[in-house]
Amino acid sequence: MYEDYLIETLERVNNVTMVDLPLSKKDKVRALMNITMPVSLDNTFYEKQDAFLQEELKKKKIFDTSSLNSSLSIYRGNITAVKADAIVNAGNEELLGCFVPLHGCVDNAIHSAAGLEVRRDLMKIMKEQGKPEPVGKVKVTLGYNLPAKYIFHTVGPQVHGRLTEKDREDLTSCYLSCLEEAKRRNLKTLVFSSLSTGLYGFPIEEASKIAYSTCKKFIEEEDPTLKVVFDVFSKRDEEVYERTINNNR
């Protein structure tokens, strides 16, 4: 219903055309959103974009974290369909999302489902900061068209070759920064993507141990009301996290 308007508007903004590309209208909208710097979009655009994204959200099976009993859980599924107080996005140092059209990373998925308001807000945050986002910190935006209220954006370490103690410390800082922010905001449910384990090369076996031990200790010592969910993409990743939890209870 809204695709034609969104495609036409974003083609004009970016001075590109999608006519000859063998993509569905839905994918054309997403691809164009991925490359757009939202410096001149008006309220009419956002209203139509939000209506489009809300229609897409209705097609998803929503996982509601409020139904969980355990303080630490694993969920294998689409993080953009998780209802929670906050989800954690794995960003890069520019913190503006993934600009590669239709890329399969979690950063792209979250920005695409949430809407261009997220990039707009992050542009303002990063302009005020005046420098790239350091590893291990967190910035917060609203979730907009996601079922999650907030998105926590954090930059994980990139592993080149042998895993170092600094890599471990940096990944621990990512988890701690997000946990502390959740406590500061009095949030009750926090969903982590598997930080740094994709293109950033952090071995998932070691990353899962850091994620679990850091979150477990924080909940026990700092915020026993917080529920943490580890969202994983594949069955293999799910098995890694299950093994980590079972071996470290």
Side-chain angles (χ1 to χ4, degrees):
M1 180 177 179
Y2 302 99
E3 289 97 327
D4 289 339
Y5 170 85
L6 297 174
I7 292 169
E8 180 183 343
T9 301
L10 293 176
E11 283 182 332
R12 184 173 66 253
V13 167
N14 291 286
N15 194 28
V16 298
T17 179
M18 306 288 282
V19 171
D20 297 327
L21 295 181
L23 297 172
S24 66
K25 287 185 178 180
K26 174 184 172 181
D27 282 345
K28 286 181 180 179
V29 171
R30 176 172 176 174
L32 286 163
M33 287 172 62
N34 294 158
I35 65 172
T36 299
M37 290 292 282
V39 295
S40 60
L41 301 176
D42 58 18
N43 289 337
T44 299
F45 173 85
Y46 286 117
E47 288 170 3
K48 293 183 182 296
Q49 175 214 246
D50 292 352
F52 167 73
L53 292 176
Q54 286 297 315
E55 286 298 319
E56 292 300 308
L57 181 61
K58 290 177 183 177
K59 300 174 186 178
K60 298 176 181 178
K61 183 178 180 180
I62 303 300
F63 173 66
D64 190 346
T65 58
S66 66
S67 64
L68 295 172
N69 295 318
S70 175
S71 59
L72 290 161
S73 305
I74 305 167
Y75 174 67
R76 177 161 60 97
N78 184 353
I79 198 169
T80 70
V82 176
K83 185 177 181 180
D85 288 335
I87 62 171
V88 180
N89 179 34
N92 57 51
E93 66 175 9
E94 299 304 320
L95 218 66
L96 299 180
C98 172
F99 284 83
V100 180
L102 305 178
H103 194 255
C105 68
V106 68
D107 196 17
N108 189 298
I110 288 174
H111 274 259
S112 298
L116 280 165
E117 293 95 334
V118 176
R119 182 172 286 167
R120 177 198 65 192
D121 293 355
L122 287 169
M123 285 171 60
K124 181 179 179 181
I125 289 170
M126 294 307 290
K127 182 178 180 180
E128 290 175 353
Q129 179 165 285
K131 61 180 180 180
E133 179 71 358
V135 171
K137 304 298 182 182
V138 64
K139 294 291 187 295
V140 182
T141 64
L142 294 175
Y144 289 101
N145 294 290
L146 297 176
K149 183 177 181 180
Y150 296 108
I151 307 170
F152 287 8
H153 305 265
T154 189
V155 181
Q158 297 187 43
V159 177
H160 303 286
R162 184 178 62 85
L163 189 66
T164 67
E165 189 59 32
K166 180 66 164 53
D167 295 329
R168 295 184 178 91
E169 291 172 357
D170 285 344
L171 187 60
T172 301
S173 293
C174 289
Y175 283 94
L176 277 177
S177 293
C178 293
L179 292 163
E180 289 164 355
E181 185 66 22
K183 181 182 178 182
R184 189 182 73 81
R185 292 174 180 264
N186 197 32
L187 305 187
K188 300 305 176 188
T189 53
L190 179 62
V191 182
F192 284 96
S193 57
S194 189
L195 303 176
S196 283
T197 59
L199 294 175
Y200 279 18
F202 206 113
I204 190 169
E205 292 82 2
E206 184 69 18
S208 68
K209 294 174 184 176
I210 291 170
Y212 176 72
S213 62
T214 304
C215 293
K216 182 174 185 291
K217 182 178 180 182
F218 187 89
I219 290 170
E220 290 174 347
E221 298 180 0
E222 301 291 338
D223 192 356
T225 66
L226 182 64
K227 294 178 181 177
V228 167
V229 179
F230 302 113
D231 181 280
V232 295
F233 180 74
S234 69
K235 180 63 177 175
R236 175 187 173 274
D237 291 354
E238 182 181 34
E239 290 171 350
V240 170
Y241 270 84
E242 286 176 344
R243 189 161 55 248
T244 294
I245 291 176
N246 290 334
N247 291 341
N248 294 277
R249 289 187 186 279

